[in-house]
Amino acid sequence: GEAGRTGNSRRPRALGLAWALLAVWRSDLYFYSLALALPWFGDQNGSPHPLYLLEMGLMGLVIHHQLRRALGLIPRRPQALDPWLLVFLYYSWLCVLPQIHSIYTEWWHVRLRFLVVNFNHYATSPTFGMQAALRLTLGVALYQALRDRSWSASQTRRFFGCALAGVAVASVLGLLNYFGWLSLTWWRPDNPDSIRFSFKRLQSIFGHAGWFAQYLAMVAPAALAMGLTAPQAWRRRLGWLLAAGLAIVQFLTMQRGGWFALAAGYGVVGLGYGMAHRGQGRRWLRALVVPVAILLACGAALYLASADFRYRFGEILRVIDRTVIWRSSLVMIRCNWLTGLGLGNYFIEHTQ
């Protein structure tokens, strides 16, 4: 693990190159492996980290796609979203401009380390602008690759199945660690920002419980979709079980924003299913009742069983510290209404 974090070992570089070649050869296999492996890259605390291996694979995918598109081998499939995405890209580049004074520092002094080092996720590092701009561009190119190579329904199901398998493994490890049955220091150190609380937080193999909560909120709704739409009864039951289990894990992260995000994700899946079956009363009722029932049952069980959860739940309405941050943000928005403060400057401006 430490050799991978420093970015100096040949093994992670070889793995990144292999991932890039796999993305060139078979993009679907690359995404399946990415979905399985992604939770293991959750320990990123701003230090050098093998997270760049993921981007090497994405670069291989994008380069291959753009080359084939330039040669006319892949037809373009314009979508209504395209112009809005370009506006997002150009405006995001504009918001990087206040950081332009650091471009020289990044290019000359840091050289190519911005491809290896995942700089501070709070964007307070002085060497963040170029990496952010390149990732914005990489993200738009990735959208074009996915747009022009539409997946079949079976490929999409396999991808989300791999993602659910990866997050399920991470959840089991997290539960074992939360209850004191397994130490995870062999993978990630204890985060002072997590252990400072008076209650335990489930963070699994992620560097912070909040990061794990974000990932859960993105992936867990796929389990609910499986429970609602899978053709086989055993897969539907597995989907319900996963949706309930991941909801409990999300609650144990004690991340209040993650709770709301998961509820929103489950609600979107239920709403989509209900709209697709309008006029079919039983299915429409299932789409309305099941997400609410899962969240209420899991939340009520934890509320009765865990004093820590009851305390954290009671803090939902204690938002005084949040409102102070929001008021300060409004002042900064009025002073920098066009491009913002620039990446890496929020903390400095806020403390002033």
Side-chain angles (χ1 to χ4, degrees):
E2 189 60 34
R5 286 189 181 88
T6 60
N8 294 324
S9 171
R10 291 183 179 180
R11 185 177 301 172
R13 291 178 183 273
L15 178 58
L17 178 60
W19 230 346
L21 294 175
L22 179 62
V24 170
W25 175 54
R26 286 284 301 272
S27 61
D28 55 342
L29 294 182
Y30 165 71
F31 279 113
Y32 299 156
S33 63
L34 178 66
L36 286 168
L38 198 57
W40 294 93
F41 291 86
D43 175 28
Q44 55 107 346
N45 55 6
S47 61
H49 190 270
L51 189 68
Y52 75 94
L53 300 180
L54 304 182
E55 296 182 351
M56 289 182 70
L58 293 178
M59 290 173 191
L61 174 71
V62 164
I63 290 172
H64 182 244
H65 173 76
Q66 294 292 338
L67 180 61
R68 295 194 66 192
R69 198 170 80 160
L71 295 175
L73 301 177
I74 296 179
R76 299 186 181 186
R77 298 176 180 176
Q79 303 286 336
L81 185 62
D82 290 358
W84 295 102
L85 197 70
L86 290 176
V87 169
F88 166 77
L89 174 63
Y90 296 146
Y91 185 71
S92 298
W93 268 86
L94 186 65
C95 292
V96 174
L97 288 181
Q99 191 74 3
I100 200 70
H101 63 275
S102 296
I103 294 296
Y104 170 80
T105 302
E106 295 183 35
W107 186 257
W108 184 250
H109 294 288
V110 185
R111 300 289 177 92
L112 294 178
R113 290 187 70 237
F114 63 81
L115 295 177
V116 179
V117 179
N118 189 47
F119 288 114
N120 195 310
H121 59 279
Y122 289 114
T124 54
S125 168
T127 52
F128 198 90
M130 182 175 289
Q131 188 184 68
L134 288 173
R135 284 182 172 174
L136 286 167
T137 307
L138 179 64
V140 173
L142 177 61
Y143 164 77
Q144 292 176 343
L146 295 176
R147 177 200 64 190
D148 295 340
R149 293 180 175 183
S150 57
W151 277 15
S152 65
S154 60
Q155 287 176 311
T156 304
R157 283 194 295 268
R158 289 193 203 104
F159 173 77
F160 280 105
C162 291
L164 286 172
V167 80
V169 171
S171 298
V172 170
L173 292 174
L175 288 169
L176 293 175
N177 176 254
Y178 181 82
F179 291 109
W181 299 333
L182 176 67
S183 172
L184 293 177
T185 55
W186 53 272
W187 181 255
R188 51 125 181 106
D190 290 329
N191 188 340
D193 192 47
S194 293
I195 62 179
R196 65 184 171 88
F197 292 92
S198 60
F199 46 84
K200 294 177 64 176
R201 305 184 67 179
L202 192 155
Q203 69 183 83
S204 184
I205 49 180
F206 283 66
H208 193 286
W211 304 341
F212 188 35
Q214 291 176 4
Y215 190 67
L216 279 167
M218 288 188 292
V219 177
L224 182 64
M226 181 193 300
L228 287 170
T229 63
Q232 298 92 352
W234 70 269
R235 289 182 61 189
R236 290 196 298 271
R237 287 192 290 269
L238 177 61
W240 301 133
L241 182 63
L242 280 173
L246 294 177
I248 292 175
V249 171
Q250 181 71 300
F251 284 133
L252 290 178
T253 64
M254 304 296 176
Q255 185 71 24
R256 293 163 295 180
W259 299 349
F260 291 118
L262 184 68
Y266 280 11
V268 168
V269 170
L271 179 64
Y273 182 83
M275 292 179 63
H277 297 87
R278 282 177 295 183
Q280 303 178 29
R282 185 176 177 182
R283 291 190 174 186
W284 186 87
L285 186 63
R286 182 195 301 174
L288 177 67
V289 171
V290 169
V292 177
I294 289 176
L295 293 173
L296 287 180
C298 295
L302 283 176
Y303 190 87
L304 295 174
S306 171
D308 288 345
F309 182 77
R310 288 195 295 273
Y311 173 78
R312 190 62 166 167
F313 185 82
E315 285 190 322
I316 289 179
L317 299 178
R318 301 171 190 171
V319 295
I320 297 178
D321 56 335
R322 305 284 182 178
T323 56
V324 171
I325 297 175
W326 295 338
R327 286 197 297 269
S328 300
S329 299
L330 289 175
V331 174
M332 288 186 284
I333 289 172
R334 285 198 295 269
C335 296
N336 305 273
W337 60 272
L338 179 61
T339 64
L341 298 167
L343 292 168
N345 299 324
Y346 172 81
F347 181 78
I348 298 173
E349 293 287 332
H350 181 260
T351 52
Q352 292 176 352

